[in-house]
């Protein structure tokens, strides 16, 4: 869990940061509305999913990393405990919380840095 500061995520989330939670794709189970999920392929590593009925943003598949980002706001019972900042060089909202700040994404997530 953490915050992404890249301009692309800020634009998509309409906020100064995007709060993410990364999961194994098998942990995600859509229980209803599957037919209403649209996809926007921003990049080869970012397949953004949204509701075609209400326009709400749902999650992002990251196939090259083998992860899915379920937006923290979509999980109201999740105790969000951010532990990292990614793409911090693009920040518009400096957060001084003592968590590691990365220029890209950690290599352990499969990032090509």
């Amino acid at each position: 869990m953490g915050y992404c500061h890249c301009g692309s995520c800020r634009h998509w989330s309409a906020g100064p940061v995007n709060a993410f939670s990364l999961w194994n794709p098998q942990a995600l189970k859509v229980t209803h509305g599957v037919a209403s999920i649209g996809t926007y392929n921003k990049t080869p590593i970012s397949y953004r999913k949204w509701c075609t009925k209400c326009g709400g943003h749902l999650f992002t598949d990251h196939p090259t990393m083998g992860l899915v980002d379920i937006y923290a706001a979509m999980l109201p019972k999740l105790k969000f405990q951010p532990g990292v900042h990614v793409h911090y060089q693009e920040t518009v909202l400096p957060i001084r919380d003592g968590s590691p700040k990365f220029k890209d994404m950690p290599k352990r997530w499969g990032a090509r840095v």
Side-chain angles (χ1 to χ4, degrees):
M1 287 181 259
Y3 298 111
C4 183
H5 296 262
C6 79
S8 182
C9 282
R10 290 194 325 266
H11 182 260
W12 183 251
S13 68
V17 296
N18 180 52
F20 64 82
S21 65
L22 298 174
W23 303 83
N24 181 310
Q26 289 76 29
L28 173 62
K29 181 178 180 182
V30 178
T31 58
H32 63 279
V34 173
S36 299
I37 297 177
T39 300
Y40 174 61
N41 293 56
K42 173 72 175 179
T43 70
I45 67 166
S46 179
Y47 292 63
R48 293 176 174 162
K49 307 294 184 169
W50 56 282
C51 177
T52 60
K53 289 187 178 184
C54 75
H57 299 178
L58 304 171
F59 56 93
T60 298
D61 282 326
H62 295 291
T64 61
M65 294 189 290
L67 297 168
V68 62
D69 169 11
I70 303 173
Y71 306 132
M74 293 299 302
L75 302 169
K77 294 181 181 178
L78 176 71
K79 184 174 178 169
F80 184 68
Q81 296 178 321
V84 66
H85 296 264
V86 296
H87 300 288
Y88 198 73
Q89 80 284 3
E90 297 182 42
T91 193
V92 295
L93 178 66
I95 299 174
R96 293 169 179 83
D97 60 359
S99 295
K101 316 282 193 281
F102 290 92
K103 182 177 180 182
D104 195 341
M105 291 181 281
K107 287 183 182 182
R108 70 179 185 268
W109 295 349
R112 296 172 290 183
V113 292

